């Protein structure tokens, strides 16, 4: 069990050895339990963020913590809406609380850098707040050695990759819910958990420029997906995964291992 | 005082008459008190969101509530960072609490629609959470008549307008902080509050694809602006203001006055 | 824009110069959006506390932050009750949170003294709690240089002034809601926002010596005012304003500028 | 044990019989554990509010719940300050929470009216908020039968009584901390718990018209009392107790038993 | 009043003398207001924990603070359930808040050790959390001198005592609610508050191995007691009280006065 | 993917079919990320509770939600203490919040029964509180059809099994942390994740009858285990797992499927 990157698998003594250098990096995948249409499993966001974290950790010599497997409420413009059966969510205070506790707990143990790898659009600001509150409580301000990074994996997809994955033009990240990106990644990483025969093709959802609450349910397609997964393929998934992992590794290595000018050493 | 669109100016009896139809719309501007470089005032976000709310309310026959004048913590990638002197912020729980209370209070008074008009990037998700919690407490779900809308005014800028305002290409909303959009709007709407002679020209900030906390202060330019305001003009501001107000009025009228199919009437 | 006392108008660099002495004072007006009868606008409390803050800041060389424009729930014995349409309130936790955040934010920026200038009776204890929690978090105890002051402007009205304003005897601060004090001040400071022809004369409300919840609505007069504004005049407003501003300036100068014995220097 | 007015003494079955009429009234004394000078015990506020509740309950046929024995932080202008050793306090959220829980618990059991009998100045607004939140959660608004009353016992002292107790003029409620009122009441009700030989005579404290935080400790007299207890006597205590209990009984009977017009029956 | 162990009875100056050694111990009884069948009063848990605290304090030279007289919600498997009339409870957040505030307040005053003496099964974990949060806020970690102890008095009953009190076999602590232990202790300590003629004999309740919410009311016996009090006696109460007090005194003296190896001195 | 019992694996449409009967049961495993000595992985509690949930769900036709993989702070008497490196915990409010949100979310989707299967001693009361708050918010009281069950798997070990697993006598559940029970179960269920060669034999820890905070670190054995795992075996694990699963299935079937008298049908 000593060779796993997953904290779940390590015993406490092996873990302490991993922290002994004072430079340990722990990645925390964050996802959701959320409807992703008829062709993808409810755990898609958690599954994907865990895969990215695992791949990055393997190459960086980092560790992967248990994922935050429930995310903030699905919003209609990015996830179809929290009213949809199968979508099981946390409110803001709970997600803030979980992130805040994990940051405090890991940094107090001697972890040098904590990295949240987000896979569910709606989580971002609540994770940010949890991190910020934790650092304030710990008295960690500019110039301190420990740090926390927060990222969503799709922010590392390059324009080149996008052009190859969406030859007809990229519809925008917000409606990439159960669409080509997630489906292709799942086809490459977890083919047994995708049912391409259940994909319903059709035009992308057209949603207002505002959020309306309570939601108007008719605005979400019956599938629960905001754009079609019809053009997905394992090859696209491989491309996406490879490029994003490369970029994540490059950026995290530059930032946390090589430590650029201006960054505490 | 009876003709003002601002609640602050109305007496309670005039206000009650305005609600008597059962169709009243109240817009709440949301901004921040945040550094906006050497050429724009700290109140820029609140000033602009209030202007948009006022213009829309005048044309729609709606009312404008007192603004939420303090916003969520400035993030380095969208506002330079919360460590910058002049930036005075609320934490997530407080902003959620204010939004939640206002929604409950206005809907309980008989307001039919509440519209948050946001002018500070970082606020969005916390306003969303406040709205959602309020509706849950009030027992307002799909099919209920009252509604709350949440929007950021820049989401209503069209590609055509963008192309005219940024002839050299649009740098992205996140780094539009103290840049051409805000400065042009201020030059058109509040010229006495802009000091174009203090604008510092230069390339846009290049920030990582992740958020790092605590911030690395060197990554924010000395001006506190993430992109240059050098190309700003009152004419661009007039164009932006006119187009955005037109689109806001059109969308809100369609949604709240004419009430499309699928929307509770 | 450099000469305004309002933070909203200052750019970040002008603001930082104002803080450079290490002795800066920031005043925060606190009010409400609350029914004030048929003759005064909903924003009366915020308007008046902002006027007092502005006048004091001008004479002391201090700054005025954006007001807290929404206050704690109106209580029947001091504001007619929170059930009255037009009264738009925050709960205790939200008001505590806003005050706590503002104190932390301003003191962290290097402001030496923060002064809350309150204009809504019900706010006081929640502001106090917010201040106290902020100082505890900041580790600021007796002997520290920074301080926060909390005051309600009516506590600075002297017996002499009271005798002139209420020749028939003073009915008590609690029922001074939409009465002679507030109306006279508005007539002097904002005459265009008062409608004296809509004043309804009559005896002061007689309310129990206890608070009852839920309220018995019949106990609040139809006007929503607890005492009559019939004897109001701009001259009384000028007297009140002048005397209170004089006393505020004297007390704050003694306390914060000249620093009496026993006070940290 | 069946004849006690104290819930602590009743068994559950006797208590249920007491509620069977549907008209039961439960009084909750609220006090503090707070320094009261060298001559009064730390429990003074709780002891006195419990005595008032007991006397009123005996005459009204009501019940007395366990007191809330810890109060909100002592403020310098009304209790000498929270920095004084012996003063053991709750923050706002905890006191709000306790009040909110007790209201919900008692009303859910079928108690018709809950009455908070307050004996510590600083508690009032936090009790109010706890009550208001509980009623909102329970869905109890105007017109509902159950009610909650909140009162401080000193608000029932009449001008006549005041004139007799303070022949030299009344110094004001705020600085009546360890002074003639509390000491006289203790001399009458709990003579064994007063040490008149330890009273330190002297002028009343003169405190600013604002609250300053952190406190300037020198502003509180060494005794911790804000006014002298030198003129106290058991006879004054008897007068105060008798008159206040009479008025409390009269007001509560009128309000809760006879139920005036406009009040739900 | 100087000789009481109860803080309620001490004046502030006597209390400060008691703290002057730097070694003071304050015990806080924690109970509930909870149905205890037809033969025991609602205050049983608070009464008993206060008796234990008083007896221990007398022998250790410690002090006893006001009890926390309301406890966490009664659970069906240990107290019959929170739905039973007479049971008046706090939620988790409120109890955590009270414990957290008391720890902070007492340690800030210079108390060396705080000991919570619990008498209500359901309270334990919430007290623990309140203590832990307080110590974190105070920055008190391993090696610091001040400490907080948390205990339930029944954990100090020895097997020998148990065998004597329950000659037919001990049914388990969880269903010891209104049973032989509590009733015997009350018969010994407060005989006037027990009605043995109202005891209903019968077999102990058999409850599931899980908690079910909402409760199935039929699973709680009509008496509200989970085991019969029929075998109770004052002699058993004296035995229990004597042995538990002896053990508490021994353990606390060893831990807090003599301070074993490994414990900060 | 349609045949998995894990929600993570189901697509939303398959999940909705599973809920269509109105009788669906969702089990939520709850564990911790906590040091378990040198021979067991940090994820032991989550791994075991997930195994129990999976086995029960398979036999009952129920579903298993994503586990709550982080638990409440490890306490010294049951888990060695929260100061031990590797132990990564949530505070009470966060765990309450997560449980509350999951209950609300699943019941709102139409799940009939939610069952928390706990594998970490310290979690229990916070899960209970989260469940209770959720049901209060949902208005679900006695007599309602939906229910939530809370259980710890070790409460289903029978005396017979105990006698076989601990032939030398059972040391008590509290110190069964990294001991024979957990190790045997892991040897049976996850042999590749146990390192029996790293087991350190020795006597069980002897801990005080109180909790002391801050912890005295010397009281926890260096291994972090409170009792020895030396007598563990896969055969004991198989016995434990088989008997507990049988009993869980029997009890849950009786309670939730056959629905005994007094239970809502």
């Amino acid at each position: 069990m000593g060779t796993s990157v997953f904290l779940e698998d390590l015993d406490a003594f092996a873990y302490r050895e991993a922290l002994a250098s004072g430079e340990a990096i722990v990645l925390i995948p964050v996802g959701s339990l959320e409807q992703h249409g008829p062709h993808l499993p409810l755990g898609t966001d958690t599954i994907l963020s865990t895969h990215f974290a695992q791949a990055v950790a393997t190459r960086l010599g980092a560790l992967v913590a248990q994922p935050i497997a429930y995310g903030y409420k699905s919003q209609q413009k990015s996830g179809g809406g929290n009213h949809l059966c199968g979508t099981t969510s946390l409110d803001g205070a709970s997600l803030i609380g979980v992130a805040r506790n994990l940051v405090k707990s890991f940094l107090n143990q001697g972890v040098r850098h904590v990295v949240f790898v987000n896979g569910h659009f709606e989580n971002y600001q609540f994770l940010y707040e949890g991190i910020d509150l934790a650092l304030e409580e710990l008295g960690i301000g500019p110039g301190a050695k420990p740090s926390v990074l927060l990222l969503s994996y799709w922010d590392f997809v390059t324009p080149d990759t996008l052009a190859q994955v969406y030859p007809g033009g990229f519809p925008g990240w917000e409606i990439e819910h159960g669409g080509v990106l997630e489906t292709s990644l799942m086809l490459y990483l977890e083919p047994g958990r995708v049912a391409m025969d259940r994909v319903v093709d059709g035009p992308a959802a057209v949603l207002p420029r505002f959020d309306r609450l309570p939601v108007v349910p008719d605005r979400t397609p019956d599938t629960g997906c905001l754009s079609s997964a019809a053009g997905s393929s394992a090859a696209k998934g491989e491309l996406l995964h490879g490029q994003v992992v490369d970029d994540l590794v490059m950026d995290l290595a530059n930032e946390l291992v090589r430590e650029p000018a201006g960054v505490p050493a």
Side-chain angles (χ1 to χ4, degrees), chain A:
Chain A
M1 72 202 191
T3 62
S4 171
V5 296
F6 290 107
L7 288 191
E8 179 187 35
D9 297 329
L10 295 185
D11 72 75
F13 290 78
Y15 172 67
R16 290 167 198 168
E17 280 168 35
L19 298 196
S21 69
E23 305 289 336
I25 300 170
V26 168
L27 293 90
I28 308 176
V30 198
S32 68
L33 191 72
E34 185 190 24
Q35 68 80 21
H36 274 75
H39 65 295
L40 288 178
L42 297 174
T44 295
D45 291 350
T46 306
I47 292 166
L48 290 178
S49 58
T50 302
H51 269 291
F52 281 111
Q54 180 183 18
V56 168
T58 302
R59 286 173 51 185
L60 277 183
L63 298 168
V64 179
Q66 289 283 78
I68 303 178
Y70 297 96
Y72 181 69
K73 300 163 193 169
S74 177
Q75 294 168 232
Q76 191 168 31
K77 289 173 64 179
S78 46
N82 206 49
H83 62 296
L84 296 171
C85 187
T87 297
T88 308
S89 308
L90 302 182
D91 60 11
S94 298
L95 186 55
I96 291 169
V98 170
R100 185 178 131 258
N101 276 266
L102 295 187
V103 170
K104 286 171 61 180
S105 213
F106 281 121
L107 295 188
N108 277 334
Q109 291 170 42
V111 171
R112 173 76 182 270
H113 302 292
V114 174
V115 181
F116 287 88
V117 178
N118 181 41
H120 176 63
F121 198 87
E122 291 86 341
N123 289 336
Y124 202 88
Q125 288 293 85
F126 303 102
L127 297 172
Y128 186 95
E129 172 70 344
I131 296 165
D132 192 74
L133 293 177
L135 295 179
E136 182 185 357
E137 284 183 63
L138 294 169
I140 294 180
K145 286 200 165 195
S147 79
V148 185
L149 269 56
L150 169 61
L151 60 91
S152 294
Y153 71 79
W154 50 80
D155 286 333
F156 289 74
V157 179
T158 60
D160 273 5
T161 302
L162 266 193
Q164 294 181 61
V165 173
Y166 298 92
F170 176 55
W173 288 124
E174 283 203 340
I175 61 170
E176 176 43 61
H177 177 75
V180 169
L181 175 118
E182 290 186 336
T183 307
S184 296
L185 283 166
M186 288 293 285
L187 281 171
Y188 172 59
L189 295 164
E190 299 275 345
R193 284 164 140 172
V194 187
M196 282 305 288
D197 56 321
R198 291 166 71 101
V199 166
V200 179
D201 198 7
V206 181
L207 290 161
R209 291 180 279 190
F210 47 79
D211 269 295
R212 178 179 179 138
L213 287 165
V215 294
V216 179
D218 287 355
R219 288 178 174 158
T220 301
D222 290 344
T223 59
C225 299
L226 301 182
S227 57
S228 169
S232 308
S233 71
K236 287 182 177 175
E238 185 173 11
L239 170 69
L240 280 160
H241 183 260
Q243 183 261 302
V244 167
V245 170
D246 282 349
D247 278 35
L248 280 167
V249 169
M250 178 180 67
D251 278 19
L252 298 186
N254 279 338
E255 183 78 11
L256 305 180
V257 184
R258 283 189 280 279
E259 293 174 350
V263 160

